[in-house]
């Protein structure tokens, strides 16, 4: 596994474990994944100090514990214990590049229905994942023919592995049809989110994004950008239902999420967004997010858990 070469240690149910020993029996593949929930967290290297900055660790762990609770599993670890686990794990792996931390909780089960056990087993691992924030990545997106999940069906607010089948349908279809990413609509035809990211529009200098009751994951990046936009960029932000044709008439649009970070959407369904290239507000948001996440901008220190060089 080339991408995990530098990250040889996994945290599994209370202790650091060598990568090759962190195994689960093959018969658990289906049953364990049905009830599983996870998180994705980035750790950015500050090029001045070479320290690793885990970004918004507590917010991700809070959402992780909420997801575990909502699938009715019991977690043996508190948020401070999980925070210590992540810090211990990142230290043990000594990342010298940008990394991605993946906490995962599952219950052992013999069946695809209710888990046999309600005890959440927690495993956390780290992989390398370079930031694309300072690259010229853009997205040509499409509105998906698939509909986003709903709260009373498979709640998008819960970061459950099973929800990602809906994401997979949409992402695969978009790629097959020559697009970079999909945008899913709610059953009511309002804009929800991408398969693994939220999205924002800019119209008349204002940031507009679907509200948290629009069939989205309550994204930490979304919340971060809204706060930065208000406080650092002095922009108005509006959270509300968004129509499909607002996508086509926006001046700017961008995807946001821990994995995708901030990627400008330059077309939707082959309609150019604005001038068909990254807009000024999107670029300002990218720069501000980059500098804060890496700790180059020292504000919002509470968002960064700094792992120094030993
Ligand atoms: N929506 C979905 C479906 C996601 O998987 C993600 C990635 N976690 C996001 C939105 C963005 O969430 P966050 O900013 O917390 O990473």
């Amino acid at each position: 596994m080339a991408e995990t070469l530098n990250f040889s240690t996994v945290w599994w149910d209370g202790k650091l474990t060598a990568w090759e020993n962190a195994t689960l029996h093959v018969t658990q593949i289906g049953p364990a994944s049905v009830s599983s929930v996870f998180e994705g967290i980035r750790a950015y290297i500050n090029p001045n100090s070479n320290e690793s900055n885990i970004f918004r660790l507590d917010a991700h762990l809070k959402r992780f514990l909420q997801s575990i609770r909502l699938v009715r599993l019991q977690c043996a670890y508190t948020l401070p214990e999980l925070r210590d686990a992540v810090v211990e794990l990142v230290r043990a792996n000594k990342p010298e590049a940008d990394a991605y931390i993946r906490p995962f909780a599952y219950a052992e089960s013999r069946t695809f229905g209710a888990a046999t056990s309600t005890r959440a087993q927690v495993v956390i691992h780290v992989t390398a994942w370079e930031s694309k924030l300072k690259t010229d990545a853009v997205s040509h997106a499409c509105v998906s023919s698939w509909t986003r999940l709903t709260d009373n069906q498979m709640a998008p607010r819960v970061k459950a592995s099973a929800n990602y089948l809906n994401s997979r349908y949409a992402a695969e279809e978009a790629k097959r049809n020559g697009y970079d990413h999909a945008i899913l609509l709610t059953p009511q035809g309002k804009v929800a989110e991408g398969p693994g990211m939220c999205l924002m529009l800019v119209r008349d200098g204002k940031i507009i994004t679907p509200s948290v009751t629009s069939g989205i994951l309550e994204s930490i990046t979304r919340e971060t950008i809204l706060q930065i936009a208000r406080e650092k960029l002095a922009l108005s932000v509006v959270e509300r239902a968004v129509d499909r044709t607002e996508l086509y008439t926006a001046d700017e649009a961008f995807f946001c999420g821990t994995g995708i970070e901030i990627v400008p959407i330059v077309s939707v369904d082959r309609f150019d967004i604005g001038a068909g290239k990254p807009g000024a507000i999107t670029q300002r948001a990218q720069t501000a997010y980059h500098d804060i996440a890496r700790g180059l901008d020292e504000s919002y220190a509470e968002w960064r858990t700094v792992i120094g060089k030993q």
Side-chain angles (χ1 to χ4, degrees):
M1 265 207 170
E3 72 167 7
T4 55
L5 216 55
N6 298 325
F7 304 110
S8 56
T9 305
V10 169
W11 188 95
W12 192 7
D13 250 359
K15 51 182 189 294
L16 295 179
T17 306
W19 179 274
E20 55 277 15
N21 296 334
T23 58
L24 188 65
H25 196 267
V26 69
T27 56
Q28 282 294 312
I29 290 173
S33 61
V34 163
S35 58
S36 67
V37 300
F38 67 101
E39 268 306 320
I41 309 166
R42 276 193 184 264
Y44 289 97
I45 297 288
N46 178 327
N48 297 334
S49 63
N50 281 326
E51 291 167 330
S52 182
N53 291 266
I54 308 174
F55 195 56
R56 311 261 0 224
L57 176 58
D58 278 18
H60 281 281
L61 293 176
K62 185 172 170 207
R63 189 172 67 187
F64 186 51
L65 288 169
Q66 176 181 280
S67 293
I68 292 172
R69 178 169 170 267
L70 289 176
V71 295
R72 305 235 181 225
L73 296 182
Q74 254 92 44
C75 187
Y77 307 100
T78 60
L79 194 150
E81 286 167 347
L82 290 173
R83 185 198 300 131
D84 288 349
V86 171
V87 167
E88 186 188 18
L89 175 71
V90 172
R91 277 221 176 93
N93 282 294
K94 301 184 172 47
E96 291 187 349
D98 293 343
Y100 184 71
I101 302 156
R102 163 59 52 82
F104 188 84
Y106 63 96
E108 286 188 358
S109 188
R110 286 193 299 273
T111 72
F112 283 91
T116 315
S117 158
T118 58
R119 180 177 178 274
Q121 306 252 356
V122 178
V123 67
I124 313 173
H125 77 277
V126 193
T127 54
W129 196 2
E130 225 174 290
S131 168
K132 288 217 172 69
L133 272 171
K134 286 275 162 179
T135 68
D136 52 10
V138 295
S139 174
H140 293 275
C142 63
V143 172
S144 184
S145 73
W146 296 96
T147 301
R148 187 68 183 131
L149 300 164
T150 66
D151 192 57
N152 200 34
Q153 176 199 35
M154 290 177 74
R157 175 173 288 107
V158 180
K159 198 162 167 60
S161 308
N163 288 2
Y164 286 80
L165 182 55
N166 180 243
S167 298
R168 184 184 156 83
Y169 284 147
E172 191 281 333
E173 178 194 55
K175 289 254 158 70
R176 187 156 32 84
N177 290 336
Y179 296 97
D180 299 311
H181 299 106
I183 298 170
L184 290 126
L185 305 182
T186 66
Q188 291 73 36
K190 300 293 180 186
V191 175
E193 61 178 345
M197 59 278 199
C198 286
L199 70 101
M200 300 199 182
L201 308 182
V202 179
R203 295 188 76 187
D204 301 323
K206 229 185 257 163
I207 290 191
I208 301 168
T209 194
S211 68
V212 291
T213 52
S214 303
I216 67 169
L217 178 74
E218 290 183 344
S219 154
I220 291 155
T221 316
R222 173 186 174 284
E223 187 192 283
T224 302
I225 294 168
L226 292 180
Q227 192 170 340
I228 293 174
R230 270 190 223 104
E231 295 175 359
K232 280 239 155 195
L233 309 180
L235 296 168
S236 319
V237 303
V238 186
E239 300 174 58
R240 62 160 171 80
V242 173
D243 280 337
R244 174 177 185 160
T245 49
E246 285 187 280
L247 297 171
Y248 307 148
T249 54
D251 303 319
E252 301 181 28
F254 58 90
F255 284 121
C256 62
T258 299
I260 199 159
E261 302 173 299
I262 298 176
V263 167
I265 303 173
V266 293
S267 75
V268 180
D269 292 340
R270 306 291 179 215
F271 282 110
D272 277 352
I273 304 300
K277 53 184 201 259
I281 288 181
T282 305
Q283 288 173 320
R284 283 175 69 205
Q286 278 180 311
T287 301
Y289 185 83
H290 171 271
D291 291 356
I292 290 167
R294 276 199 201 286
L296 297 172
D297 175 338
E298 288 176 3
S299 55
Y300 302 105
E302 66 280 12
W303 287 349
R304 294 179 297 274
T305 305
V306 183
I307 309 294
K309 290 251 131 200
Q310 303 98 54

